Amino acid sequence: MTLDNDNKTQMMAMEIVCRELFEKGGKYGEMNRKDIDLLRIAIPVFKAKGFGLKEFWKTLMGSGGSDGNEGSDVGDGKVWSLMGILMGVEGVVDKRRGGKWWKEIVGRWGERSSLPVEYLGVVGRLEEIPEEIEEEAVGDLEMIGGRVERGERGERMSFEEISGLVRIGGRLLRGGRGMELVKRLLGEIEEGKGESGLEEIYLVGELMEVIESLDGIEMGGIVLLMGGEIPGGVRVDEKIRGIAAITVVKACLRFQEFANRYVGTVGVPLRSGGHESLKLNCLVGLWDLNVEYSATVNPLLEDVTNSFFDESV
């Protein structure tokens, strides 16, 4: 209702949300992922209508990361997700170094292992991140690239954790350090073939946002993993194929020359039966690619259209 076209209905709904959620707080434990996603869309509208989002931020920070449930001290990530959304709205939160909220957020870095992964997204939105924190974030990412070589899988990182660490360490990764990490990961993926780790493949995709070019980087191994079988008769796990597709799409979005060469491979899975998750990843990827490179994607529109009649997707 906060997005309703009728101004009266919209304002009434906004006042209720503002009173019950923004000012009182304590309702976060009742929210689900869909509620969070809806607020991600609605919060900029609240800002445009003049509602007090700064007060909402104070309420969230006052909860200390708690979801409002008795006995909860760090919540389940909902509060931190809401903080991240507010930090993405211009003028709501002072993200500058040395500010009150900056100090509180940075001050909790030492306890991040006990905080929800969404905390990393909040740190990543600060305007200036302390270099020691950037170094620790990049160091954690470099450990992903080292475990395969040592044969030590260890505890896996979630995709959200990897994305948060890349955002935090982005400044350090934009130079040669990011390029070297991508090359090392791709080498390990090439050696692992069909047994490659999901973390490594996903991290390569995330690093596409921060590296400057693909000069000297061979992505053929990732492209190969999108197929159902690689040379030697090794079957590729369905999850690996899906994440490989996402990584190829991210590389296409970042580098047009790569897109010109490989965008057609994203459409190939649409022509086969089954593989629902893989097809969905490819469809979403082609949608994004069509915005950037419509001429490159146009030859695949028939495959996209046919997928809408595929009951498996």
Side-chain angles (χ1 to χ4, degrees), residues 135-260:
E135 283 286 355
E136 287 188 39
V138 174
D140 287 349
L141 293 171
E142 289 174 335
M143 284 296 292
I144 294 177
R147 283 203 294 267
V148 174
E149 185 178 332
R150 297 196 307 272
E152 302 171 2
R153 290 305 304 171
E155 185 178 347
R156 292 184 179 274
M157 279 192 192
S158 68
F159 291 160
E160 192 167 3
E161 185 175 1
I162 291 172
S163 298
L165 291 172
V166 170
R167 186 175 191 125
I168 292 169
R171 185 182 66 85
L172 300 182
L173 290 166
R174 286 190 181 90
R177 197 165 174 180
M179 296 279 283
E180 288 303 312
L181 180 53
V182 169
K183 289 177 182 177
R184 182 160 51 123
L185 289 167
L186 289 172
E188 292 170 0
I189 291 167
E190 181 69 23
E191 290 177 15
K193 301 293 185 183
E195 298 180 358
S196 302
L198 293 174
E199 295 165 288
E200 288 81 4
I201 300 169
Y202 183 81
L203 177 53
V204 169
E206 289 296 283
L207 289 171
M208 291 298 108
E209 290 289 328
V210 296
I211 62 174
E212 298 297 331
S213 73
L214 288 178
D215 292 343
I217 294 177
E218 179 50 58
M219 294 281 290
I222 295 281
V223 176
L224 195 62
L225 288 175
M226 287 179 58
E229 187 176 303
I230 61 177
V234 178
R235 299 292 299 175
V236 181
D237 181 81
E238 194 75 8
K239 289 182 179 178
I240 289 178
R241 294 181 68 190
I243 298 303
I246 292 172
T247 297
V248 170
V249 167
K250 288 178 178 178
C252 287
L253 286 168
R254 183 74 170 84
F255 303 105
Q256 185 167 3
E257 186 175 340
F258 182 85
N260 293 339

Side-chain angles (χ1 to χ4, degrees), residues 16-271:
I16 293 172
V17 172
C18 190
R19 182 176 64 250
E20 298 298 323
L21 184 67
F22 293 2
E23 296 174 5
K24 291 183 180 179
K27 299 281 188 180
Y28 314 126
E30 301 172 16
M31 301 179 72
N32 56 36
R33 177 55 59 183
K34 185 177 180 181
D35 296 328
I36 299 288
D37 290 340
L38 286 172
L39 274 175
R40 194 182 306 278
I41 298 169
I43 278 178
V45 182
F46 278 87
K47 170 99 171 15
K49 294 286 186 178
F51 282 85
L53 293 180
K54 290 185 178 181
E55 292 302 314
F56 184 26
W57 172 263
K58 291 178 182 178
T59 302
L60 290 170
M61 287 301 292
S63 72
S66 169
D67 61 10
N69 292 329
E70 186 176 350
S72 171
D73 58 349
V74 294
D76 58 3
K78 295 166 188 174
V79 171
W80 292 104
S81 289
L82 293 170
M83 289 179 185
I85 293 170
L86 286 177
M87 290 184 76
V89 181
E90 191 66 32
V92 174
V93 182
D94 184 358
K95 299 176 283 187
R96 294 174 297 178
R97 186 182 183 95
K100 176 184 177 182
W101 306 124
W102 187 94
K103 290 179 180 178
E104 286 207 33
I105 294 166
V106 168
R108 303 197 70 170
W109 178 256
E111 57 183 291
R112 67 186 184 283
S113 61
S114 64
L115 293 173
V117 69
E118 289 83 359
Y119 166 73
L120 298 177
V122 173
V123 175
R125 288 189 175 276
L126 294 172
E127 286 187 1
E128 187 177 345
I129 301 169
E131 188 169 354
E132 59 270 25
I133 290 180
E134 294 176 321
E135 283 286 355
E136 287 188 39
V138 174
D140 287 349
L141 293 171
E142 289 174 335
M143 284 296 292
I144 294 177
R147 283 203 294 267
V148 174
E149 185 178 332
R150 297 196 307 272
E152 302 171 2
R153 290 305 304 171
E155 185 178 347
R156 292 184 179 274
M157 279 192 192
S158 68
F159 291 160
E160 192 167 3
E161 185 175 1
I162 291 172
S163 298
L165 291 172
V166 170
R167 186 175 191 125
I168 292 169
R171 185 182 66 85
L172 300 182
L173 290 166
R174 286 190 181 90
R177 197 165 174 180
M179 296 279 283
E180 288 303 312
L181 180 53
V182 169
K183 289 177 182 177
R184 182 160 51 123
L185 289 167
L186 289 172
E188 292 170 0
I189 291 167
E190 181 69 23
E191 290 177 15
K193 301 293 185 183
E195 298 180 358
S196 302
L198 293 174
E199 295 165 288
E200 288 81 4
I201 300 169
Y202 183 81
L203 177 53
V204 169
E206 289 296 283
L207 289 171
M208 291 298 108
E209 290 289 328
V210 296
I211 62 174
E212 298 297 331
S213 73
L214 288 178
D215 292 343
I217 294 177
E218 179 50 58
M219 294 281 290
I222 295 281
V223 176
L224 195 62
L225 288 175
M226 287 179 58
E229 187 176 303
I230 61 177
V234 178
R235 299 292 299 175
V236 181
D237 181 81
E238 194 75 8
K239 289 182 179 178
I240 289 178
R241 294 181 68 190
I243 298 303
I246 292 172
T247 297
V248 170
V249 167
K250 288 178 178 178
C252 287
L253 286 168
R254 183 74 170 84
F255 303 105
Q256 185 167 3
E257 186 175 340
F258 182 85
N260 293 339
R261 185 178 177 186
Y262 286 114
V263 73
T265 63
V266 182
V268 171
L270 302 181
R271 301 167 193 158

Side-chain angles (χ1 to χ4, degrees), residues 266 270 276-289 303-305 307-308 313:
V266 182
L270 302 181
E276 295 89 342
S277 61
L278 173 62
K279 283 186 174 181
L280 284 171
N281 286 348
C282 290
L283 281 171
V284 172
L286 287 170
W287 178 275
D288 290 339
L289 286 166
D303 296 318
V304 172
T305 302
S307 294
F308 292 125
V313 179

